[in-house]
Amino acid sequence: MKAILKFDYPVFTKKIIEEKLAPFGFKFSVVGFGEIEFHEDLPSEKYEEITSMLTDLGIEVLENQKNILVQKIKDTIIEMVSNEEPLNVKSSVYLTEKLDHSYGYLSNLFSEVTYTSVENFIIIQKIEIAKQLIINDQLSLTEIAYKLNYSSVAHLSTQFKNCTGITPSAFHRIITKRKNKTLNN
């Protein structure tokens, strides 16, 4: 049997972090998505142990200020595109307000560190969510386009094809065939 899961990444991540850090006995708070604040100084060997445990989970502890801000940009974008209701604000305004830096600075830093643009990262995140929504098969393409704040289904389809090489309809057909094949076996 196959089960399709939908994650609330911030909630899921917070629970995992809390569960994994609790045995260390240090007081901490999960300040935001991808950010932890320890309420006491950690001995260096414990810090290394925590860093190693997090690395084993696929979580990188960032210490370079530029990388930290780029990760905050990524987390904010994921939060923005994962929002249940479409936001009626431009992504540049959203990032500026959330991160308290000018969009020009955020955009330049992001490009410098990741070798891609903020806009491209947003598109990739939207297409990943679109794929999950198509797989879940609960929304029409029109509803998916609205949910992801696209101006039209055609705009979503164009970006989907540019990112994946196939149209959303073709992706849906492939997923449906795979589901049917799994059910028949």
Side-chain angles (χ1 to χ4, degrees):
M1 181 178 117
K2 184 188 225 181
I4 307 293
L5 305 175
K6 179 184 176 193
F7 290 94
D8 182 337
Y9 290 101
V11 171
F12 180 73
T13 304
K14 182 178 179 184
K15 288 190 182 289
I16 294 293
I17 294 297
E18 288 171 346
E19 180 183 299
K20 294 295 184 179
L21 291 181
F24 287 95
F26 296 106
K27 292 181 180 168
F28 68 93
S29 300
V30 178
V31 181
F33 186 54
E35 197 171 344
I36 301 166
E37 181 179 326
F38 288 96
H39 300 290
E40 54 194 288
D41 289 334
L42 301 179
S44 59
E45 67 275 355
K46 285 294 180 188
Y47 180 77
E48 293 299 323
E49 194 176 332
I50 288 170
T51 300
S52 175
M53 179 269 304
L54 292 172
T55 302
D56 290 346
L57 293 171
I59 301 170
E60 180 183 357
V61 177
L62 302 176
E63 294 174 7
N64 173 301
Q65 290 303 312
K66 284 183 174 183
N67 289 342
I68 290 169
L69 185 52
V70 166
Q71 188 59 49
K72 285 182 180 182
I73 294 167
K74 288 179 178 180
D75 294 343
T76 303
I77 290 168
I78 291 167
E79 174 188 296
M80 179 182 70
V81 300
S82 299
N83 205 333
E84 284 298 316
E85 292 297 316
L87 300 172
N88 292 327
V89 65
K90 288 184 173 187
S91 56
S92 58
V93 172
Y94 187 82
L95 289 169
T96 298
E97 289 176 357
K98 283 286 202 171
L99 299 173
D100 200 29
H101 288 285
S102 75
Y103 183 72
Y105 174 74
L106 295 172
S107 179
N108 289 335
L109 176 66
F110 192 86
S111 296
E112 174 189 322
V113 172
T114 65
Y115 304 107
T116 191
S117 67
V118 168
E119 293 80 7
N120 193 49
F121 187 78
I122 291 170
I123 291 167
I124 291 167
Q125 295 309 308
K126 283 179 158 185
I127 298 308
E128 286 304 313
I129 292 172
K131 289 193 305 192
Q132 288 304 312
L133 292 171
I134 291 168
I135 289 169
N136 291 343
D137 204 23
Q138 295 175 341
L139 300 176
S140 69
L141 280 180
T142 302
E143 292 168 320
I144 293 171
Y146 174 77
K147 182 175 182 59
L148 294 174
N149 222 7
Y150 280 100
S151 57
S152 66
V153 174
H155 187 206
L156 166 62
S157 296
T158 299
Q159 285 191 343
F160 194 98
K161 185 167 184 175
N162 288 343
C163 285
T164 65
I166 59 175
T167 65
S169 300
F171 181 78
H172 184 262
R173 281 192 300 276
I174 291 167
I175 295 303
T176 302
K177 282 182 184 178
R178 286 184 183 170
K179 283 180 182 178
N180 290 339
K181 187 175 181 180
T182 304
L183 292 174
N184 293 331
N185 287 337

